[in-house]
């Protein structure tokens, strides 16, 4: 049985080096067929191959280790174990359409070290394989199927769990391609959130096969020194370089479905003043049509950081609106189960 984080495809090729390509397509289709829960269900494969798959290839690469449900019942958070014993978090959240949004991880830990983030405190252990990312969708789909009283459809995915997705570019891209091919998820319902690593952003922009999903760049400050203090991996001249990239991105992808969002976590007394809102608005409007999504801070990762007061959040948003910026606010969910990424894994590591 597979015990190292190689992909199912690599393992399948080792087991069956001479199989025609359609066999692998049959296997991927089987993995995404609702109601099929093991290799035993895949009756269209030869019996000997089915038995080899049962013996050697995990149907699901993730096992739920710990599951927490919020008091409101609208958020479920799983700490999952993978074949090598490493653990990641994935979250299922009810959304406004009476469907579900899942938040997925792309790495075990993260190397970016954002000061407000529990995952950043863990450091990076390894990147996930395509299967380990994609199976987070399959895990929640099957978990819901076992609870028929709940809404069943997963309509949205956000890459806002553990890790920086663009440092795991190929696996994230393969996962997106698989989901867009083998599930009913549409590109406008998937958001890849990145801290904004400029070489990876350039690679994405130059990549004609990068799927047309939404992108969210974590900005958090429109002042270079302040941003560096919040996101330590900020490159010198990050803000002008990001502005230049964003203009080229918007020009190249001039379609609504490619739209770009800047994420801005509001930290009391750090980046939430009206002056900083004006600075942000100036930065955004100089680039073009980019929405700002403000995020109330709700983690316990950094005891010296506090959430902005409700009045400060309201004033900040109003200032942006007055300056012509489209602004939304992320709904905070599951505070009682520490649903922000990395908190469960971090508390277990302690
Ligand atoms: Fe990594 Fe995202 Fe946390 Fe920053 S916020 S440390 S990029 S997981």
């Amino acid at each position: 049985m597979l015990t190292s984080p190689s992909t199912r495809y690599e393992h399948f090729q080792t087991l069956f080096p001479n199989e025609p390509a359609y066999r692998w397509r049959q296997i991927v289709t089987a993995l995404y067929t609702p109601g099929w829960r093991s290799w035993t269900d895949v009756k269209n494969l030869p019996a000997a191959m089915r038995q080899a798959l049962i013996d050697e290839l995990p149907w699901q690469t993730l096992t739920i280790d710990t599951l927490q449900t919020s008091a409101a019942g609208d958020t479920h958070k799983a700490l999952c174990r993978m074949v090598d014993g490493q653990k990641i978090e994935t979250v299922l959240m009810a959304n406004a359409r009476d469907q579900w949004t899942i938040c997925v991880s792309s790495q075990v830990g993260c190397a970016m070290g954002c000061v407000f983030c529990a995952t950043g405190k863990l450091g990076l252990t390894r990147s996930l394989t395509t299967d380990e990312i994609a199976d987070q969708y399959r895990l929640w789909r099957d978990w819901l199927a076992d609870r028929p009283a709940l809404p069943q459809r997963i309509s949205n995915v956000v890459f806002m769990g553990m890790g920086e997705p663009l440092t795991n570019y190929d696996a994230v891209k393969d996962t997106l391609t698989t989901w867009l091919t083998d599930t009913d998820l549409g590109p406008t319902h998937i958001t890849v959130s990145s801290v904004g690593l400029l070489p990876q952003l350039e690679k994405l922009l130059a990549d004609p096969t990068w799927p047309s999903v939404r992108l969210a760049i974590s900005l958090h400050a429109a002042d270079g020194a302040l941003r560096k203090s919040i996101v330590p991996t900020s490159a010198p001249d990050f803000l002008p370089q990001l502005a230049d990239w964003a203009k080229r991105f918007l020009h190249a992808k001039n379609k609504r479905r490619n739209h770009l969002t800047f994420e801005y976590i509001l930290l009391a007394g750090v980046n939430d003043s009206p002056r900083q809102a004006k600075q942000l608005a100036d930065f955004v409007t100089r680039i073009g049509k980019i929405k700002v999504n403000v995020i109330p801070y709700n983690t316990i990762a950094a005891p010296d950081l506090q959430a902005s007061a409700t009045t400060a959040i309201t004033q900040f948003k109003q200032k942006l609106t007055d300056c012509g910026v489209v602004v939304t606010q992320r709904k905070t969910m599951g505070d009682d189960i520490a649903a922000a990424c990395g908190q469960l894994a971090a508390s277990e590591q302690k």
Side-chain angles (χ1 to χ4, degrees):
M1 180 59 87
L2 185 66
T3 54
S4 64
S6 56
T7 65
R8 282 193 196 95
Y9 181 61
E10 290 162 349
H11 209 56
F12 178 80
Q13 284 191 312
T14 307
L15 288 172
F16 303 103
N18 301 317
E19 282 297 314
Y22 75 84
R23 280 283 181 232
W24 179 247
R25 177 81 319 252
Q26 282 181 307
I27 286 173
V28 176
T29 302
L31 290 168
Y32 284 91
T33 300
W36 287 13
R37 302 293 286 270
S38 74
W39 295 118
T40 313
D41 292 326
V42 193
K43 306 284 191 218
N44 54 343
L45 294 177
M49 177 178 286
R50 208 162 52 233
Q51 188 57 51
L53 295 176
I54 291 168
D55 293 341
E56 299 291 340
L57 217 61
W59 174 259
Q60 168 58 267
T61 56
L62 307 168
T63 310
I64 294 179
D65 216 55
T66 309
L67 182 83
Q68 295 181 340
T69 296
S70 64
D74 58 358
T75 307
H76 308 273
K77 179 175 190 172
L79 182 67
C80 295
R81 183 188 298 272
M82 295 175 290
V83 293
D84 63 349
Q86 294 294 335
K87 294 179 184 174
I88 49 127
E89 294 179 15
T90 177
V91 183
L92 178 76
M93 300 167 284
N95 63 36
R97 291 174 299 284
D98 205 23
Q99 297 170 344
W100 297 98
T101 297
I102 59 170
C103 176
V104 298
S105 293
S106 56
Q107 296 182 308
V108 182
C110 183
M112 299 297 111
C114 304
V115 293
F116 54 82
C117 174
T119 302
K121 306 254 180 286
L122 299 174
L124 176 66
T125 300
R126 70 168 172 87
S127 289
L128 302 192
T129 65
T130 304
D131 299 327
E132 291 162 342
I133 304 171
D135 279 357
Q136 294 170 62
Y137 172 93
R138 295 177 59 246
L139 178 119
W140 287 121
R141 178 201 62 185
D142 292 349
W143 188 87
L144 288 168
D146 291 337
R147 291 157 183 82
L150 294 176
Q152 293 292 299
R153 181 154 188 258
I154 296 169
S155 61
N156 292 63
V157 179
V158 294
F159 278 79
M160 295 180 185
M162 301 169 75
E164 161 51 55
L166 294 188
T167 60
N168 192 10
Y169 188 95
D170 291 340
V172 168
K173 180 178 162 181
D174 285 352
T175 300
L176 295 172
T177 304
T178 298
W179 283 341
L180 292 172
T181 306
D182 293 290
T183 77
D184 62 356
L185 289 167
T188 58
H189 293 259
I190 301 176
T191 302
V192 173
S193 175
S194 171
V195 79
L197 297 169
L198 294 162
Q200 275 81 0
L201 291 179
E202 292 295 349
K203 179 176 176 179
L204 184 157
L205 184 52
D207 182 352
T209 58
W210 175 263
S212 295
V213 297
R214 297 184 183 220
L215 269 184
I217 307 289
S218 301
L219 192 61
H220 308 322
D223 170 88
L226 179 59
R227 201 215 184 232
K228 178 87 180 163
S229 73
I230 299 172
V231 182
T233 51
S234 280
D237 289 334
F238 172 76
L239 291 172
Q241 290 193 64
L242 176 68
D244 173 61
W245 175 87
K247 282 180 194 165
R248 287 184 285 120
F249 180 86
L250 291 176
H251 180 72
K253 312 275 184 185
N254 191 20
K255 296 176 190 166
R256 184 175 179 273
R257 64 189 184 144
N258 286 303
H259 90 216
L260 191 58
T261 300
F262 286 154
E263 306 273 349
Y264 195 102
I265 194 163
L266 283 165
L267 304 167
V270 176
N271 64 352
D272 65 345
S273 72
R275 181 186 62 77
Q276 287 162 320
K278 175 73 167 66
Q279 196 175 34
L280 174 61
D282 290 345
F283 179 74
V284 171
T285 52
R286 276 199 296 268
I287 298 171
K289 192 177 166 186
I290 300 177
K291 185 177 76 179
V292 171
N293 188 32
V294 297
I295 307 167
Y297 177 60
N298 76 331
T299 83
I300 47 168
D304 49 329
L305 296 175
Q306 306 291 330
S308 298
T310 307
T311 49
I313 295 174
T314 304
Q315 285 172 2
F316 195 90
K317 286 165 53 185
Q318 190 59 52
K319 190 74 177 171
L320 290 173
T321 305
D322 292 346
C323 295
V325 176
V326 175
V327 57
T328 53
Q329 178 176 339
R330 187 188 298 172
K331 190 175 170 212
T332 46
M333 299 175 72
D335 284 9
D336 53 328
I337 57 167
C341 75
Q343 290 185 51
L344 198 54
S347 63
E348 176 163 283
Q349 221 174 65
K350 274 183 206 158

